[in-house]
Amino acid sequence: MEGREKSGGDEQDRETELVPATSDVASTDATFDEVVEQAAVEEAPAESTQGRAAGWGRVIRGNKGLWITAAVAVVALAGGLALGRFVISPLDAAAGAGAPDPGLVTVPVEFGALSNDVTLRGDVGYTDAVELKIDTSSFTGAAIVTGQVPEAGAELDSLSIALEVTGRPVIVLPGELPAYRTLRVGVSGPDVIQLKEALTAVGIGVGDAASDVFDEATALAVGELYNQAGYPAPEPEEGVAEAVIAAEEGVRMAEQSLADARKALATAGQGPSDIEIREADNQIASLHRQIAAAEGAGEDASDLRDQLAVAELQRQALDAPRDTSAEQAMVDSAIAGVETANASLAEARESALPFLPASEVLYLQELPRRVDAVNVERGAALEGAAMTVSGASVELTGTAAAADVELLEVGAEATFELPDGAEHRAVIAAIEPAEDGGRTKISFEPDPLTPEQMEQVQGTNVRINVPVGATEGEVLSVPYAALTAGPGGDSRVEVVTGDPRDGESAETRLVTVETGLAAGGYVEVTPVEGELEEGDLVVVGS
């Protein structure tokens, strides 16, 4: 004991001496190795067993943290193994348990309205959406939008201004043929007839509406169109006003020439005046007297007789018709001049009459139309589609398979769900079979929607239910699987009166039923023999 204590004391002393004055880790490790090696050499001859124990003690004390960590790990491993041995999860317990005793599979009898529906998906939107492009070919420069830009949701109707481009209106009129040329006096074609029909539809008279010629009456009607739209008619081309003034002056000059020619003709065709006739007669009478006096005096009257012959010829000339061919030719020429001048004036005036550029009219079918989207803004150049419009009426469209189409008919009622969960009524408006034999297009006309509701559902895809058969009020119904056939072919259900968990030994009774409408996996049943009530459990399997 004393030796063990002494040895222990020596070790204590040696251990104390090995502690460095500083905490330098490297020097501590080196000192520890040297001490262990020296202790092994010194203690081995005398006390080998005690030296080895003391050496291990020093090792343990020098690595105390490491040994503690190792001990905790061993304890944790042992605890985990024990816990895994004795703790079992619910799933493992259920897997290890035996199967439950077999019982009857039952469902309760339902009581309520039963309906058979055709269900399909449909898109909600406005009818006939189209992109609108404005003809800008008549503009000499850039087509700048200057005003009248509609907002999405606005309506375009007859005489509406769809846009204002470079200060000029784009007037909406009913029609299906797009504007493709300027319409002015003298042109003809189907586009002229469409214009006349459109103007007549808005209450503007066009003269002969059946004629395909753009005449003066049509031009005046176009002037009235601009008046009702609140814009001046388009300005005529440069020089047209001056041409009208010149043509009017030409007419006046031609008419004056005609007046002068007619006056000359009238003057030439009047014949001798009474004075001229009297003077000629007096001249002849005087010569007769002179000849008589000369002959009575025995004088030569030959010269007087010659003068009398000339006077008589002059008198005869006064009675002869006058030659006015030259004057008549002048009149005819003047008349032709007037006609030419009037034609020039009419042409000049027609050029000044109102006309309709293709860029200032927009024909749309089935007015009014709703503006869905606007692609232009004020101050921007007009390029591509200006806006997208659709019919003002709301349409719900979907497709159905051939088997479902056979159950549908125009006028049948349907419902679809609004975003707030409410059911909204609709009616089948059209059934259009696909040409390629694919799914059939079904068009529905929904009941009126508020602007808020339409904003919520526009462009969405909704579920549509079309009832194709329904019970008259509430009825009893069971799943198909609950029906069995009786000896006589009648339908029966097996009602459980005991505990279904008893399986084949459970108490049941058979109820003969009459079946009705089948829908959604259930069938309407009416008890014929036996009692059947809501909530009764009927067997559908075991």
Side-chain angles (χ1 to χ4, degrees):
M1 287 295 292
E2 293 178 0
R4 188 179 302 273
E5 290 175 0
K6 182 178 180 181
S7 176
D10 294 339
E11 291 172 2
Q12 177 88 25
D13 294 338
R14 283 195 293 271
E15 182 177 356
T16 302
E17 293 173 358
L18 290 173
V19 176
T22 66
S23 60
D24 186 274
V25 176
S27 66
T28 301
D29 291 342
T31 303
F32 177 79
D33 292 339
E34 293 172 0
V35 170
V36 172
E37 184 178 353
Q38 180 180 359
V41 172
E42 291 177 354
E43 299 293 338
E47 300 177 356
S48 60
T49 302
Q50 293 180 359
R52 283 194 294 272
W56 281 109
R58 287 193 299 273
V59 171
I60 292 172
R61 284 193 299 274
N63 296 275
K64 186 183 297 184
L66 176 62
W67 290 107
I68 292 173
T69 302
V72 172
V74 170
V75 172
L77 177 60
L81 292 173
L83 186 62
R85 173 71 176 173
F86 297 105
V87 178
I88 302 176
S89 70
L91 291 178
D92 291 338
D101 295 335
L104 298 177
V105 181
T106 62
V107 294
V109 176
E110 300 286 344
F111 181 72
L114 193 64
S115 64
N116 191 10
D117 298 345
V118 170
T119 302
L120 58 152
R121 306 293 303 186
D123 297 319
V124 184
Y126 289 97
T127 56
D128 302 329
V130 294
E131 289 187 336
L132 298 185
K133 294 183 178 181
I134 310 299
D135 183 0
T136 60
S137 59
S138 60
F139 294 102
T140 55
I144 304 300
V145 177
T146 54
Q148 296 288 348
V149 181
E151 296 182 353
E155 280 193 357
L156 298 180
D157 207 343
S158 297
L159 300 181
S160 293
I161 306 301
L163 278 178
E164 183 184 273
V165 183
T166 62
R168 298 299 302 166
V170 179
I171 306 173
V172 177
L173 287 177
E176 60 180 7
L177 185 65
Y180 60 90
R181 62 173 177 170
T182 296
L183 298 181
R184 61 176 73 250
V185 173
V187 302
S188 61
D191 51 346
V192 176
I193 292 180
Q194 176 175 263
L195 172 62
K196 289 185 176 182
E197 291 175 347
L199 294 176
T200 301
V202 298
I204 300 177
V206 295
D208 185 2
S211 172
D212 68 345
V213 177
F214 192 114
D215 52 16
E216 183 177 352
T218 312
L220 296 177
V222 169
E224 179 59 22
L225 170 65
Y226 280 100
N227 182 49
Q228 293 192 19
Y231 284 81
E235 290 290 336
E237 296 177 359
E238 185 177 356
V240 170
E242 292 77 4
V244 172
I245 295 174
E248 290 174 344
E249 181 63 23
V251 169
R252 284 193 294 270
M253 293 178 63
E255 289 176 345
Q256 182 61 49
S257 297
L258 176 60
D260 293 342
R262 283 176 173 170
K263 183 177 181 181
L265 175 62
T267 300
Q270 286 179 354
S273 63
D274 293 341
I275 295 177
E276 290 176 333
I277 293 173
R278 186 64 179 176
E279 288 177 346
D281 290 341
N282 290 342
Q283 179 67 21
I284 291 173
S286 174
L287 290 172
H288 278 292
R289 287 193 296 273
Q290 291 177 25
I291 291 172
E295 289 178 348
E299 295 176 357
D300 185 8
S302 298
D303 291 338
L304 292 174
R305 291 185 180 280
D306 291 338
Q307 294 178 9
L308 176 61
V310 172
E312 289 177 344
L313 290 174
Q314 290 176 342
R315 177 66 181 85
Q316 292 176 2
L318 291 176
D319 291 337
R322 296 292 182 93
D323 181 10
T324 60
S325 57
E327 292 79 3
Q328 185 61 51
M330 294 180 62
V331 170
D332 293 341
S333 178
I335 291 175
V338 171
E339 291 176 350
T340 301
N342 282 327
S344 298
L345 177 59
E347 183 177 353
R349 285 176 174 173
E350 286 177 353
S351 299
L353 286 173
F355 58 94
L356 185 62
S359 60
E360 297 189 12
V361 62
L362 180 63
Y363 293 104
L364 293 176
Q365 291 179 279
E366 299 180 5
L367 293 171
R369 288 277 184 154
R370 180 185 184 278
V371 177
D372 292 336
V374 180
N375 305 325
V376 296
E377 59 183 10
R378 191 172 183 178
L382 184 60
E383 297 179 355
M387 64 189 74
T388 301
V389 300
S390 59
S393 59
V394 179
E395 185 179 43
L396 176 61
T397 58
T399 60
D404 290 334
V405 172
E406 295 179 357
L407 303 174
L408 304 177
E409 61 181 7
V410 174
E413 294 189 1
T415 59
F416 66 97
E417 188 174 312
L418 297 177
D420 59 3
E423 293 290 332
H424 198 79
R425 178 180 175 273
V427 176
I428 296 180
I431 300 176
E432 304 173 24
E435 296 181 357
D436 57 0
R439 294 176 66 86
T440 297
K441 178 182 177 181
I442 311 296
S443 299
F444 298 83
E445 181 181 346
D447 284 353
L449 292 160
T450 65
E452 294 77 13
Q453 290 174 328
M454 190 58 206
E455 184 177 355
Q456 292 175 346
V457 299
Q458 183 185 6
T460 62
N461 186 269
V462 297
R463 179 179 178 180
I464 310 169
N465 291 321
V466 185
V468 294
T471 59
E472 295 181 1
E474 297 180 328
V475 298
L476 296 174
S477 60
V478 298
Y480 292 125
L483 295 175
T484 59
D490 50 356
S491 297
R492 304 182 305 181
V493 293
E494 186 176 4
V495 181
V496 179
T497 57
D499 190 343
R501 291 174 296 182
D502 294 340
E504 296 296 334
S505 62
E507 295 182 4
T508 63
R509 58 185 172 85
L510 293 175
V511 178
T512 302
V513 296
E514 180 181 340
T515 60
L517 177 70
Y522 275 72
V523 61
E524 174 188 359
V525 292
T526 304
V528 177
E529 294 182 8
E531 296 182 356
L532 188 66
E533 297 180 353
E534 179 184 7
D536 285 348
L537 297 179
V538 293
V539 178
V540 295
S542 59

